[in-house]
Amino acid sequence: MAAKLVRLQGGNGYWPVSLLEPQETPETSGTGFFVYGLAWGVNHGLLPESSYRQSIDRGWHALVLLCSTMASSLGTAYRAQPTRLAPDDTQLYGVGAFLLAASEVSRIPP
């Protein structure tokens, strides 16, 4: 599944809301969960870093860029589905996905 996920990652570093319907609209929750899962797999020796590091880094940089430019003073991460993905849309789990990704990406040696 991990090998298929990296092939479905968009050119902008995000994964689409629907994996079967590629689109370039930034979406933070799914991307955060995928980055977390891939990084966790690398950190626990289940996925080879050489095969997944580029995808992890692209997803992480996309999340950081969007969240740093759009995060509200309340600490919410915008563009988290299942909303209409307008710049000011959010879901409570959007921040959780970002933090989970951060917790695993930070453990991968530079």
Side-chain angles (χ1 to χ4, degrees):
M1 181 168 56
K4 180 67 172 183
L5 281 173
V6 298
R7 291 194 306 270
L8 295 173
Q9 188 176 23
N12 59 8
Y14 297 97
W15 278 268
V17 173
S18 171
L19 293 176
L20 300 178
E21 187 179 330
Q23 55 203 270
E24 292 297 320
T25 303
E27 195 282 318
T28 59
S29 58
T31 297
F33 289 127
F34 291 138
V35 168
Y36 166 73
L38 293 172
W40 190 94
V42 166
N43 288 331
H44 288 85
L46 299 174
L47 299 174
E49 183 177 348
S50 61
S51 299
Y52 294 95
R53 181 63 185 258
Q54 182 180 11
S55 184
I56 292 166
D57 288 346
R58 286 179 54 233
W60 177 245
H61 291 298
L63 287 169
V64 169
L65 177 65
L66 184 68
C67 290
S68 67
T69 58
M70 299 184 73
S72 75
S73 60
L74 298 176
T76 57
Y78 290 118
R79 292 188 187 260
Q81 71 169 335
T83 63
R84 65 187 189 284
L85 292 178
D88 60 346
D89 286 344
T90 188
Q91 294 292 319
L92 296 175
Y93 54 81
V95 172
F98 180 84
L99 293 174
L100 281 170
S103 72
E104 287 300 323
V105 170
S106 69
R107 292 183 177 118
I108 298 175

